Amino acid sequence: MLCSAQFLLSATHESQFPTPELPEVAFLGRSNVGKSTLLNKLLGQKLAFTSSTPGRTQAVNFFRVEDRILFVDLPGYGYAKAPKSVTRGWQEFIDAYLVNRDNLALCVLLLDARRGWMEIDLQLKEWLEFHQRPYMVAATKVDKLNQKERNASQKNIRGHYPDGDLVWFSGLTGQGVKEIWQTIWKTTAR
Ligand SMILES: Nc1nc2c(ncn2[C@@H]2O[C@H](COP(=O)(O)OP(=O)(O)OP(=O)(O)O)[C@@H](O)[C@H]2O)c(=O)[nH]1
Ligand SMILES: [Mg+2]
């Protein structure tokens, strides 16, 4: 699907966030899990910068989609090589976004399908639930799994997330794009 979408702005501080007018969909997950890739795949164009080097997206990048919603590409967490000061800075900055943003309609929490939930993902999940932020889970890079691995992954993910929206996604094949859009339209409709 090709959307009408434009890069809006890149923020490194809360004061630079756009005026909260449109519902926002934020993409969250560990560094290198495929957030920017998924966002590009949903839009059918390469707007967000992707890289095989973890920690590539450092700012919060906003994209305007169909003049109806904003997509928000967040920097990844859990990048082991990042200095502690950067990790702390990330937490404060992103926490501020996730807690204060009234127009945040949906978080798409990405998990690497090969790894499933890791401790840091579970912390974020609990945190989202505590703050009552609606979220869905996308298991990414499914193209790297065979059927047996996929079954094991499903068991792992459902073990901590029994009945919420879960989509299997591949940036290579486009699997899952339709389902993620369905959840986005459902949660941002008003
Ligand atoms: N095979 C495969 N590779 C993927 C998939 N999604 C992402 N990748 C690759 O994984 C790497 C990281 O992708 P990004 O989209 O840049 O990841 P990110 O989560 O935005 O990373 P940061 O911005 O650093 O947090 C790139 O080399 C992508 O090509 C997928 O579904 N399948
Ligand atoms: Mg990125």
Side-chain angles (χ1 to χ4, degrees), residues 114-127:
R114 293 169 297 178
R115 298 197 177 91
W117 293 103
M118 298 185 70
E119 191 51 42
I120 195 164
D121 303 310
L122 288 169
Q123 283 169 14
L124 178 66
K125 171 182 171 299
E126 275 169 28
W127 192 93

Side-chain angles (χ1 to χ4, degrees), residues 122-137:
L122 288 169
Q123 283 169 14
L124 178 66
K125 171 182 171 299
E126 275 169 28
W127 192 93
L128 291 172
E129 286 166 2
F130 177 78
H131 289 281
Q132 300 184 313
R133 287 307 202 181
Y135 71 94
M136 65 169 290
V137 172

Side-chain angles (χ1 to χ4, degrees), residues 2-171:
L2 184 67
C3 271
S4 109
Q6 308 89 38
F7 170 74
L8 184 63
L9 61 87
S10 189
T12 51
H13 187 268
E14 231 185 317
S15 61
Q16 297 162 337
F17 291 160
T19 320
E21 285 165 341
L22 296 172
E24 286 173 5
V25 178
F27 298 86
L28 280 166
R30 290 168 60 80
S31 198
N32 210 41
V33 72
K35 297 174 293 297
S36 303
T37 300
L38 187 145
L39 190 149
N40 285 337
K41 204 75 193 170
L42 290 178
L43 298 178
Q45 52 197 302
K46 292 203 168 135
L47 285 180
F49 190 69
T50 62
S51 163
S52 55
T53 314
R56 184 51 67 194
T57 309
Q58 298 279 359
V60 177
N61 294 312
F62 293 82
F63 302 85
R64 179 185 273 271
V65 181
E66 300 277 347
D67 285 329
R68 275 188 55 184
I69 45 179
L70 297 189
F71 274 10
V72 187
D73 191 16
L74 294 169
Y77 52 79
Y79 175 41
K81 282 195 190 146
K84 278 276 173 294
S85 58
V86 173
T87 317
R88 253 196 319 274
W90 185 94
Q91 274 176 353
E92 282 166 23
F93 179 38
I94 307 300
D95 280 8
Y97 173 81
L98 292 171
V99 175
N100 299 335
R101 202 73 177 157
D102 292 334
N103 54 327
L104 176 56
L106 176 70
C107 293
V108 181
L109 174 53
L110 280 76
L111 301 177
D112 188 322
R114 293 169 297 178
R115 298 197 177 91
W117 293 103
M118 298 185 70
E119 191 51 42
I120 195 164
D121 303 310
L122 288 169
Q123 283 169 14
L124 178 66
K125 171 182 171 299
E126 275 169 28
W127 192 93
L128 291 172
E129 286 166 2
F130 177 78
H131 289 281
Q132 300 184 313
R133 287 307 202 181
Y135 71 94
M136 65 169 290
V137 172
T140 67
K141 309 195 186 184
V142 280
D143 52 89
K144 294 186 187 241
L145 266 61
N146 62 32
Q147 191 57 43
K148 197 172 156 216
E149 291 163 333
R150 163 129 181 217
N151 291 344
S153 181
Q154 166 114 9
K155 219 171 149 195
N156 168 298
I157 294 176
R158 281 306 190 192
H160 295 280
Y161 181 69
D163 42 35
D165 279 340
L166 168 63
V167 174
W168 298 89
F169 174 80
S170 165

